Amino acid sequence: MPVVTLYADRLRTLVGGGITFQQIVDKLPLLGVHIEEQAGDHVRVEYDPNRPDYSTDYGVARSLRGSFGIETGLPRHDLKGSTFRIEVDPSVKEVRPCISGMLVKGLKLDDETIRQIISMQEDLCNGIGRKRHRLAIGIHNSDVVVPPLTYKAVPSSFRFVPLEHDRELSIEEILSSHPTGRKYGHLVSGHDLYPVITDSKGTVLSFPPIINGNATRVTTSSSNLFVDVTGAKPTVLEDALAIMAEAFWDAGAEVHGIEVLDGAESFQAPDLSPSSMTVPARAVSDLIGLSFKPSAIVSALRRARFNASIVGSRVKVEIPRYRVDILHIVDVAEEVMYGYGFEKLEPDFTFVYTVGSLSPRTHLIEAIRRTAVGVGLQEVMGYSLTSKEVLYDRVHRPSDGAIKVAASKSALFEYLKDMIVPTHLQLLAENVQEAYPQNIFEVAEVFTPDPSAEAGVKEDLHLAVALSDNAASFTDARSVLDTILLKTFAAKATYRRSSLPFLVEGRTAECLLDDRPIGFVGEVDPKVIIGFGLRAPVSVFEISLSSFFDKVAIKERV
Amino acid sequence: MSGLSTQTPFHPLEKKALSILLKHKTMELGDLAKESGESIDQVRRVTEWLRTKGYVAVETKSRVLLAAGPEGAFVARSGLPETRLARAVHSRGSAVPLESLARELQMQRSAFNAAVGRARGLGWIEIRKSDAGLLAVPLSVPAPLPAEDLLRKLAESPVDSSLLSSEEKALVGLLSKRPGYIIEREEKVVGVRLVKRPDAAQLEAGEEVVLTSSILQRVASGEVKLSTLDVSSPVPIRMIGKEHPMATFLRSVRETLLSMGFEEVDGPLVQSSFWTFDALFTPQDHPAREMQDTYYLENVKSSVTDQALVDRIKQVHENGWNLGSRGWRYKWSLEEAERSVLRTHTTAITIRYLADHSSELAKVFSLGKVFRNENLDATHLNEFNQIEGIVVEKDGSLRRLMGYLSAFLKGLGFKKVMFQPSYFPYTEPSMEPQVYSEKLGKWLELGGSGVFRPEVTLPMGVKNPVMAWGFGLERLALLYFDANDIRELYSNRLSWVREVPQCP
């Protein structure tokens, strides 16, 4: 989740109205902002990704001004025009087709303001920009820029002085040796040409989305900026410009749009005019669970920094361009909630009457649990994911048909278990210092590939038992199995000699119910026992419980 | 009846042990157990009681046991190589070529040569040169050697090295040089020594400890008395069958929802991305869908067969369909939606339930495993249990959700519940519940909740508002069990699972 640092004196100045820092801090959670760390002079907060306008203290203060009633309705949005032009060359069309931008004039930059702007730029590129894939932002000192600009694609031999360097590097060098080039190079790979923004004197502003040119870098003495945005879709670019423009307006600057010449077409960009939505008062009241008259909705929305007017039983809402999270009426209803004051909402304890029930799976597991505990077994609960070593190698099982997860953060959790017993041997190995006998049971799902299953995997509920003691035998394991089947389900299994690579030949059986195999029983091979670092015999069984689901439905018994 | 004693009465087992010790003065614990007919554990307990009462001293000593190794055992049966060689020569009665002798005895060259040398040294044979090579000629008859006697003794049973004579010890020194002859093992021995004589009167028998069916009549008739027992002396704790502590905890969570009229639903742990993310209006480039956070399955694919539903979801994502929404405005891919994942929340199950039942009224919950591609540490697991509750009703609203959720959290034991507004891609409005823990003296955030967006419910055919909440349960379990490290919950350390009481 993105974070922003809010300094007390800046916030108090931006909010105004004599509001204290503590009042602000108390209000923040009610706006959906989560406090991470609080000190006397600042607070570090986490904000939700649907409010990229909270990436600066300007954005947070703007909401706070509305919430405290100091400034309500649409925030300033007086975008002026200009003749500053960008010419889009057809060569970028295949590479990174869209560009837009704006001019910021009369900005007073100090260190903290620069930090806030850089933080906003990064958050926007990572968030709505999806790590610069959809959006990259360049901010330049416009005093050294001579329009018209050209946005074109050039070969990798193209050279310029990148930001914070003192000599020219080629695009190829930047992509191979500069950290930013290596990190984001994949966004421009696959083409022979690379996008650059240059001005009429050939000064390179930027090689988006990688890095800016050093010539146009911004310092605390810059007061006029040119902001460029590039990407694949115009709406995302405009979202970013709208958010940034509001911040610059709040910082006291003038913002001018630019002219984009794309082929034969020339248009003014960006379009930051508000959009509108009409919302029935009824929809708001129903969703929140409180009756709102249209006039109450209007005043609440104004506090949330919207404009609103009554049209009969409905409210027409004007939505500022920077609010990229308003997709539907329900989003407007939530804004009414914020504007009204979330803290004023009380729970509605009206409950609808229904009869509860547990799932068949829970009933089945509880039934097994009762008899297994009654037989004297200790329940264990393992993980579904395990390692290849435990599941296959150490028990000499072939691993074809193994289901592996991609890019697991740990090799201990890479394969979905298709059998529980190997994981029990590992569990016993981790418990050699504990008292014996160690008689354990587990009910869990196992997984096998099955192209006919909806998600491509068949899941089967299994019961597995391991008995480890001075003399744990096949008879002990079969006795436990027969007892559990009889006492839980009045079921009797039959047995047929079989073999498994980790069980003693001649002491292994297939377990059958109504002539269908449901599992296996056997004594673990001493070589495998020793391989796991165990010192006592182990006998095991594992059966599928899927045929017993219809046994647990109580309703069919009466 | 013995006179009243002002001393502590002896337990019948103590009486038995003391009687034996009076005969031997010092005994090994094992021998005391054998002679008394009691188990070693029982005898250990009894000697400890006697020790605290001041009647015995318990000393642990180490001793070295010597036994015959595999070679030594062979020699004990068949004689040393030199003896076997000499006997073979004497049995022929005349000169024997060394070559054929070596073959007959099947000894290795170096061992054979050594045996020849020793047999000569003992005067049992003589070596003569001949045209056919070296010959062995019998001289005096081989006699048993002390080393063979010793090895026979050691082969019979292990001997305490301190009990050997100095000659025997010297022989051990020589024989140990030959591989496989002698095995040495250090053993700890517990010895019990009588240090205070008990009064004869105290040792009077006449009372039985254990009432058995065979003496039932005799006790009833007064012929046999039952001894008084030391009722506070420790007795063994039994090994029992027991459920896993998490089973107890999760059952109590289920019970709370059951008491509120909720129906449990479950479903597969492996889901398509479609049901885990797309049906929940989570855009395909959302960070939560990245491999760093979600487990995707290799070589496994899902198939979503409801073509009409797929089309609706595609439109919802691309342009909001006919819902009055803007959607996410990007190009939606079926291939991406058909990737299989280990579910990251149980919402995939509950939303499927609503879709299959087109419910107008439902109160449903799911409690099951969810997966996140995480590294494990004291506060994070990659597999954990999530509880999810959903209510669908005509009058569903945010405030009503607050009502249901407060009631549920209070049912779990929290007296104070608070809500903070938040954001999730599939609910609007959204809230994060907070509960006050008396135990920790602080507020805890507990997952998320909200009213499902119409982009989620309407394509499923659900027209009434859907209120939902969900959170992971292991953090609460840590509170329930007074545990600190979340990994302990599933480490299956037997001492933990065995020792957590049924009522923690």
Side-chain angles (χ1 to χ4, degrees), chain B residues 384-400:
Chain B
F384 55 96
N385 280 289
Q386 195 177 64
I387 179 68
E388 179 157 330
I390 291 216
V391 179
V392 185
E393 54 156 318
K394 190 167 65 63
D395 295 328
S397 71
L398 187 70
R399 284 185 58 224
R400 192 152 295 188

Side-chain angles (χ1 to χ4, degrees), chain A residues 240-286:
Chain A
L241 288 173
I243 292 163
M244 290 190 284
E246 278 306 335
F248 288 125
W249 277 317
D250 284 337
E254 298 286 325
V255 182
H256 296 251
I258 59 167
E259 194 193 312
V260 177
L261 179 63
D262 193 337
E265 287 180 43
S266 160
F267 54 92
Q268 288 290 317
D271 177 4
L272 300 188
S273 42
S275 58
S276 73
M277 215 185 256
T278 304
V279 174
R282 181 77 194 284
V284 175
S285 306
D286 285 349

Side-chain angles (χ1 to χ4, degrees), chain A residues 130 233 287 289 328 331 334 346 352 354 357 359 362 366 379 381 384-385 406 409 454-455 459, chain B residues 242 251 261 264 266 269-270 285 292 296 298 303 323 329 340 352 363 373 383 398-399 428 453 492:
Chain A
R130 299 287 194 256
K233 277 200 339 200
L287 184 55
H328 187 280
D331 300 293
E334 188 183 62
E346 299 211 331
V352 79
T354 50
S357 60
S359 69
T362 298
E366 291 279 58
E379 185 178 13
M381 283 188 180
S384 302
L385 287 170
K409 296 216 168 95
E454 188 188 272
E459 292 178 33
Chain B
K242 195 162 161 296
R251 183 182 303 114
E264 185 178 20
D266 36 52
L269 297 169
V270 180
D285 59 358
Q292 282 98 286
Y296 285 91
E298 288 183 359
S303 47
L323 305 172
R329 295 179 291 178
S340 294
R352 178 61 91 65
K363 279 158 66 189
N373 192 351
E383 280 184 47
L398 187 70
R399 284 185 58 224
E428 186 82 359
R453 295 188 68 103
N492 294 306

Side-chain angles (χ1 to χ4, degrees), chain B residues 338-403:
Chain B
E338 285 189 329
R339 296 173 74 185
S340 294
V341 299
L342 287 175
R343 66 191 192 192
T344 55
H345 44 213
T346 42
T347 323
I349 304 300
T350 44
I351 193 66
R352 178 61 91 65
Y353 177 88
L354 295 186
D356 290 341
H357 291 74
S358 297
S359 320
E360 291 193 350
L361 171 65
K363 279 158 66 189
V364 151
F365 79 94
S366 192
L367 197 165
K369 273 225 196 131
V370 299
F371 301 80
R372 303 279 164 90
N373 192 351
E374 295 257 24
N375 269 318
L376 275 71
D377 63 33
T379 50
H380 294 94
L381 292 173
N382 61 340
E383 280 184 47
F384 55 96
N385 280 289
Q386 195 177 64
I387 179 68
E388 179 157 330
I390 291 216
V391 179
V392 185
E393 54 156 318
K394 190 167 65 63
D395 295 328
S397 71
L398 187 70
R399 284 185 58 224
R400 192 152 295 188
L401 170 59
M402 287 177 168

Side-chain angles (χ1 to χ4, degrees), chain A residues 351-352 354, chain B residues 255-262 363 404 407-408 469:
Chain A
F351 295 147
V352 79
T354 50
Chain B
E255 272 168 8
T256 309
L257 283 161
L258 206 54
S259 71
M260 291 172 66
F262 280 73
K363 279 158 66 189
Y404 281 112
F408 170 56
W469 69 86

Side-chain angles (χ1 to χ4, degrees), chain A residues 338-359:
Chain A
Y338 280 123
Y340 168 75
F342 181 84
E343 69 282 6
K344 294 201 228 149
L345 296 176
E346 299 211 331
D348 170 8
F349 290 108
T350 317
F351 295 147
V352 79
Y353 174 77
T354 50
V355 175
S357 60
L358 295 175
S359 69

Side-chain angles (χ1 to χ4, degrees), chain B residues 32 51 99 115 133 153 170 174 191 219 226 234 263 265 321-322 369 371 461:
Chain B
L32 181 57
R51 190 191 65 77
E99 282 301 321
K153 189 168 159 183
L174 288 172
V219 175
L226 289 177
E263 180 191 336
V265 297
W321 192 34
N322 61 6
K369 273 225 196 131
F371 301 80

